[in-house]
């Protein structure tokens, strides 16, 4: 029986270095330790229409509060599809690295006045990360 892989999330504000850190982790885990590894990201418009919808919401102009509940819905449904896309990898012993997860949903949509309870309910039943790295940098440092 294959040992379950690890699910590692790298999250933080836009342009804080998530992609670079995922690349560094991939090199450490796969290249240096020969552990099968895949990397993903959210929202993932290549996996589901929900990811496409989430990206459209992110790009939309106007009052961000007007689409906050819709954003929670799109992101959580995309996340469910995302989970389905890599759950077999975890079962097969792969490490799965992803940029963004529900942490961003809680931060951004709660700032848009969606309750934590609502966000948690929409993300219920999803795969819980083995490790979450939240990159804590200022906006000035990120850009």
């Amino acid at each position: 029986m294959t040992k379950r892989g690890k699910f590692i999330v790298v999250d933080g504000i836009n342009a804080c270095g998530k992609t670079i850190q995922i690349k560094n982790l991939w090199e450490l885990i796969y290249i240096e330790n020969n552990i099968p590894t895949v990397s993903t990201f959210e929202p993932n418009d290549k996996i589901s229409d929900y990811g496409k919808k989430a990206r459209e919401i992110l790009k939309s102009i106007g009052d961000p509060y007007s689409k906050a509940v819709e954003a929670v819905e799109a992101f959580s449904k995309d996340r469910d599809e995302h989970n389905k896309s890599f759950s077999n990898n975890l079962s097969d012993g792969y490490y799965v690295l992803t940029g963004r997860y529900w942490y961003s949903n809680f931060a951004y949509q709660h700032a848009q006045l969606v309750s934590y309870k609502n966000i948690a309910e929409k993300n219920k039943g999803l795969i819980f990360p083995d490790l979450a790295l939240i990159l804590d940098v200022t906006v000035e440092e990120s850009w």
Side-chain angles (χ1 to χ4, degrees):
M1 182 175 200
T2 303
K3 184 178 175 184
R4 182 187 178 275
K6 301 292 183 194
F7 178 38
I8 301 172
V9 173
V10 179
D11 216 327
I13 65 172
N14 293 345
C16 69
K18 293 178 295 294
T19 302
I20 291 168
Q21 295 310 317
I22 287 173
K23 180 181 178 285
N24 291 339
L25 284 167
W26 187 84
E27 288 175 0
L28 175 70
I29 296 165
Y30 180 68
I31 302 293
E32 294 183 25
N33 291 288
N34 202 31
I35 298 171
T37 307
V38 295
S39 61
T40 68
F41 59 90
E42 287 189 5
N44 196 321
D45 53 359
K46 293 177 180 30
I47 292 175
S48 76
D49 288 337
Y50 300 114
K52 290 176 186 166
K53 179 67 175 171
R55 289 215 177 264
E56 287 172 14
I57 292 169
L58 289 174
K59 293 177 184 177
S60 66
I61 298 172
D63 178 15
Y65 298 95
S66 67
K67 293 188 178 183
V69 172
E70 185 181 357
V72 170
E73 188 77 19
F75 282 108
S76 63
K77 286 184 176 182
D78 176 61
R79 192 164 296 117
D80 183 53
E81 295 297 317
H82 184 220
N83 276 210
K84 290 173 188 171
S85 77
F86 67 72
S87 63
N88 287 339
N89 295 115
L90 286 173
S91 297
D92 290 340
Y94 282 68
Y95 275 47
V96 175
L97 311 174
T98 192
R100 293 220 188 271
Y101 204 55
W102 56 42
Y103 306 98
S104 287
N105 219 187
F106 278 97
Y108 288 105
Q109 274 63 62
H110 185 65
Q112 295 172 324
L113 306 178
V114 178
S115 73
Y116 285 132
K117 182 179 178 181
N118 181 294
I119 298 166
E121 186 62 35
K122 294 294 182 186
N123 285 280
K124 194 174 183 176
L126 298 176
I127 298 172
F128 201 86
D130 295 289
L131 176 65
L133 303 169
I134 310 298
L135 305 181
D136 184 15
V137 299
T138 66
V139 172
E140 293 77 20
E141 291 169 317
S142 67
W143 293 99

